Amino acid sequence: MGRVNSPSKADRKAPKAARADARHATKGVQREVAALARSKRARVTTTPGGAETRVATARRGGVETEQVLTTAKPGALLESKLEYSKTTRRSDRVTENSFSAETDVLGRRSSQAHAATTSLTADTRRHTVTTRQNDVYGVETVRREQTVESALPDGRRSATHATITDSEGNRHRSSDVTTVREGPGGVVTRNRREAGGTALETRSHGVFEDGLFSAGGGAEWKAERSVGVSAQRERDIATPGAFARADAIGERAEKALDWLELDPASWSSEVDPSRLTERVLVEGAHGSVRTQVGVTGGQAARFDGRRGVDVAVNREARAGVYAESSGQASGRLGEASYAASAKAEVKASVDGRGRLDTNGLDAVVTARAGASVEAELHGRASTPALTIGGVDVRATVEGHARASAEAVAEATGRVQITRTPPTAIVTGEAGASAVAKVEGELRFSAGPFSVSATGYASAGAEARAASTFGYEDGKLKLGGSLGAALGVGLGGSATVEVDVRQLGQLAKDVADVNDDGKVDLWDGVAALGKTVKFATGWLGGDAPGSGPAAGPAGVGGDRAGGTPAWDGRSMPNPLHYDMQNPASAAQFQRDMATYQQMMNNISLYWQTLSNVLKAQVDTAQVTSRNIR
């Protein structure tokens, strides 16, 4: 005999909202939520927005427990939210568990469970975190991370290892290990970071606010492999005598500047614009091709009148080819336009800034060189506006695509020499990257509805290096780092928006046929009358083929000899038109459009008649029940 699982007593007694929101939690959390939701000992607070928070604490046998449950007031549609946390403290261990669940305006559920444990021993601290997330698409992601901090005979070691897996088969691992050792030669800090694998990230949203309903989501998939190592040595040394002499000179310089009371001053200039030349190779009504070659930039200096001077200099050398094209067309079917551009550039730049004052020098210089290729396209098309119930409805589609490839190398150096605090340090960093990316965006709208979607694909590599050398805080510092990464990525998103206010106004205006400000049975009667008036215009008249066209005025073209080409009732026959004659062929198209409108009117007639008859039957039934 099979066994049927039924809700526990705690689940049955818990409020329905709390029990429903916690359905994705473990059985233990469900029981705890249910017990706290009905507890009479819990401290209860309610916010002006209607959210309720319940807090319960307990102490037993040296164990302290605190539980917190927050439930938000249900929204206008299907949205709801629940948050629960439990913290347990013992002498050598702290455990934190939390659970949150959310239902959006579409009724889509998502949840996240979080468990963290911290334990302490004589010389080791262990912190473990497990997070389990279920998104609205049914993807479950589990992240496990553990950090262990332990003592070494000559220092300390900290190691963090993390693993992320999901129900789609992705797996990503990362580690970050740092050791700090102290010996006769000073303090040596070493770090190694590694990451690799694949990961899937999803996102979603559902909002109803100020009459606008918006729902959407997206996903990104990435594959990467990266490694980074660094090392730094620090050694205590005696303060050099030069710092003492510089300190004495600096104090005298400050007093001299104060006595002079110089006014602040500033100066700046730009590189002569003629240094950047532009040449037009091709130019027409719909586009152009041009080139740019030259140098741009400027320099500036500012004296604050008492302490020091700030200086900034930048230069950029550029060589590129740029092409642009655009066009627009309109007709009876609507409007369409496009704009396209492409460019290929090579650039090199240097950017320096620094400050020299009575306390010392602080200067930074960055050099960058790179090449890039990019192509971009925008397109848009829209139909003519159609007025429905006093609201203009237009269908529009817009698209955007971009493809790019870029290679960049850069280096940054910094020098700091100050007397207070005594510092003389040089740092540097260099890096290179090459990335290719393709992006696209599409948006479609029609009246109160709109849909937008984006997507991208990328691939790239990056390498970085950094170094440090100098004296700071009484220590001699020497260190450096190396890193490299290789990865590919895919991503996309989609959003749907509905203007509920416009939709409601449109529906009301269309349904209010007799213009009395209400939507009721009499609107159906009025619609029936109007439809009958339309339909009888097409259904009345002589029999087909018995003479001149008896349909609506203006329909039917003439073949050679003046014979009517269309009788205004049956489907137009192309054999009755002279298709070699442009005027006659155009008349055939107009007659077919009129015939289609006639069929639509007849269909509307029967649909409206059916609705009115159903309304009459419903009204008769209600009246009959009231009489009885």
Side-chain angles (χ1 to χ4, degrees):
M1 177 180 292
R3 180 179 177 182
V4 179
N5 294 325
S6 59
S8 64
K9 290 184 178 180
D11 289 340
R12 290 195 296 269
K13 292 182 179 180
K16 292 183 178 180
R19 187 170 70 242
D21 285 336
R23 68 184 64 185
H24 295 300
T26 63
K27 294 295 184 182
V29 171
Q30 290 186 28
R31 288 193 294 269
E32 292 172 356
V33 169
L36 184 55
R38 70 173 189 275
S39 173
K40 296 182 179 180
R41 296 182 178 180
R43 301 191 305 274
V44 181
T45 58
T46 304
T47 65
E52 181 185 84
T53 299
R54 305 174 69 88
V55 180
T57 58
R59 184 187 297 272
R60 182 180 304 171
V63 178
E64 182 180 346
T65 303
E66 181 182 57
Q67 295 174 286
V68 180
L69 173 64
T70 301
T71 53
K73 183 179 180 181
L77 298 179
L78 301 175
E79 68 269 32
S80 62
K81 191 172 184 179
L82 175 146
E83 295 179 350
Y84 170 74
S85 65
K86 179 181 179 181
T87 303
T88 303
R89 296 181 177 88
R90 297 179 175 85
S91 59
D92 60 346
R93 182 184 296 266
V94 178
T95 303
E96 298 177 353
N97 292 283
S98 65
F99 175 81
S100 62
E102 187 172 355
T103 304
D104 64 15
V105 295
L106 296 178
R108 302 179 301 181
R109 297 186 180 91
S110 60
S111 64
Q112 179 172 297
H114 178 89
T117 302
T118 302
S119 61
L120 299 172
T121 60
D123 57 359
T124 302
R125 178 181 182 273
R126 191 182 305 272
H127 184 68
T128 305
V129 178
T130 301
T131 303
R132 186 179 302 273
Q133 181 174 347
N134 293 273
D135 65 15
V136 299
Y137 310 109
V139 178
E140 183 180 67
T141 304
V142 179
R143 176 186 176 90
R144 293 184 176 89
E145 180 179 298
Q146 186 176 74
T147 299
V148 179
E149 298 175 358
S150 57
L152 301 175
D154 55 353
R156 294 195 63 82
R157 181 179 187 272
S158 175
T160 300
H161 300 275
T163 302
I164 303 175
T165 59
D166 62 35
S167 56
E168 300 301 311
N170 295 291
R171 186 179 184 87
H172 186 276
R173 290 182 175 179
S174 62
S175 65
D176 189 337
V177 181
T178 300
T179 59
V180 180
R181 297 178 182 270
E182 185 174 356
V187 178
V188 178
T189 302
R190 299 184 184 276
N191 174 261
R192 182 178 180 86
R193 303 177 307 279
E194 291 187 65
T198 61
L200 175 67
E201 297 181 2
T202 63
R203 58 185 181 276
S204 63
H205 74 273
V207 180
F208 177 69
E209 186 176 7
D210 296 331
L212 181 65
F213 172 79
S214 175
E220 292 187 7
W221 179 85
K222 297 180 180 179
E224 68 164 349
R225 175 64 179 169
S226 64
V227 178
V229 294
S230 66
Q232 179 172 293
R233 182 185 297 274
E234 299 181 8
R235 186 178 61 180
D236 291 325
I237 63 174
T239 303
F243 282 112
R245 291 191 294 272
D247 193 50
I249 295 173
E251 289 180 357
R252 289 195 292 270
E254 287 180 359
K255 292 179 180 179
L257 289 172
D258 289 341
W259 180 77
L260 291 173
E261 294 185 353
L262 299 175
D263 294 330
S266 61
W267 166 83
S268 65
S269 66
E270 298 290 335
V271 173
D272 187 348
S274 63
R275 296 285 301 279
L276 180 64
T277 60
E278 181 172 322
R279 182 182 177 186
V280 178
L281 301 181
V282 178
E283 187 168 21
H286 296 289
S288 64
V289 179
R290 57 189 176 87
T291 62
Q292 277 189 351
V293 179
V295 179
T296 61
Q299 47 276 325
R302 184 179 64 86
F303 174 58
D304 58 18
R306 298 179 64 84
R307 298 301 180 198
V309 178
D310 294 280
V311 179
V313 178
N314 66 83
R315 291 289 188 276
E316 181 181 79
R318 179 191 313 164
V321 180
Y322 310 87
E324 298 178 352
S325 179
S326 62
Q328 185 173 358
S330 61
R332 64 184 183 85
L333 298 180
E335 301 177 352
S337 61
Y338 78 94
S341 64
K343 69 176 182 179
E345 282 185 326
V346 178
K347 294 190 295 186
S349 65
V350 60
D351 187 350
R353 66 183 187 277
R355 177 176 175 82
L356 176 63
D357 56 25
T358 56
N359 191 47
L361 171 68
D362 187 352
V364 179
V365 177
T366 300
R368 183 181 295 107
S372 64
V373 180
E374 180 180 310
E376 200 163 1
L377 176 65
H378 295 265
R380 184 178 188 274
S382 61
T383 64
L386 176 64
T387 302
I388 301 178
V391 178
D392 288 340
V393 178
R394 181 191 300 269
T396 303
V397 62
E398 298 180 63
H400 172 221
R402 178 178 179 268
S404 63
E406 184 178 39
V408 177
E410 65 178 63
T412 299
R414 183 175 186 180
V415 178
Q416 287 179 286
I417 302 175
T418 61
R419 61 183 180 87
T420 306
T423 302
I425 192 165
V426 178
T427 61
E429 184 174 352
S433 64
V435 178
K437 191 171 186 179
V438 179
E439 304 167 85
E441 181 178 357
L442 182 67
R443 180 179 178 85
F444 172 79
S445 62
F449 303 96
S450 67
V451 180
S452 60
T454 63
Y456 80 88
S458 66
E462 182 179 34
R464 303 202 68 82
S467 62
T468 303
F469 175 77
Y471 170 84
E472 185 179 24
D473 297 332
K475 298 180 183 296
L476 179 67
K477 296 189 176 183
L478 176 64
S481 65
L482 294 172
L486 174 67
V488 297
L490 297 171
S493 64
T495 301
V496 179
E497 292 186 357
V498 180
D499 191 334
V500 179
R501 291 172 299 184
Q502 182 182 0
L503 184 63
Q505 183 62 38
L506 187 150
K508 179 179 180 300
D509 291 344
V510 172
D512 187 13
V513 180
N514 58 4
D515 298 323
D516 61 353
K518 298 182 295 183
V519 179
D520 50 23
L521 173 65
W522 302 112
D523 290 305
V525 176
L528 176 61
K530 290 187 177 182
T531 307
V532 170
K533 184 176 180 180
F534 279 129
T536 52
W538 303 110
L539 297 176
D542 300 330
S546 61
V555 299
D558 294 333
R559 266 185 81 89
T563 305
W566 182 41
D567 58 13
R569 300 175 184 83
S570 58
M571 180 181 295
N573 188 344
L575 298 179
H576 296 165
Y577 296 78
D578 182 6
M579 292 302 182
Q580 301 300 321
N581 185 337
S584 181
Q587 183 63 45
F588 170 73
Q589 293 181 341
R590 290 193 293 271
D591 291 346
M592 283 295 295
T594 305
Y595 174 79
Q596 181 64 44
Q597 183 62 47
M598 179 186 74
M599 293 295 100
N600 292 340
N601 288 337
I602 294 176
S603 174
L604 180 62
Y605 163 76
W606 290 111
Q607 181 180 354
T608 307
L609 178 62
S610 175
N611 292 339
V612 171
L613 292 177
K614 183 179 183 303
Q616 291 177 337
V617 172
D618 293 342
T619 302
Q621 292 176 348
V622 172
T623 304
S624 176
R625 286 197 297 269
N626 291 338
I627 294 174
R628 287 199 295 268

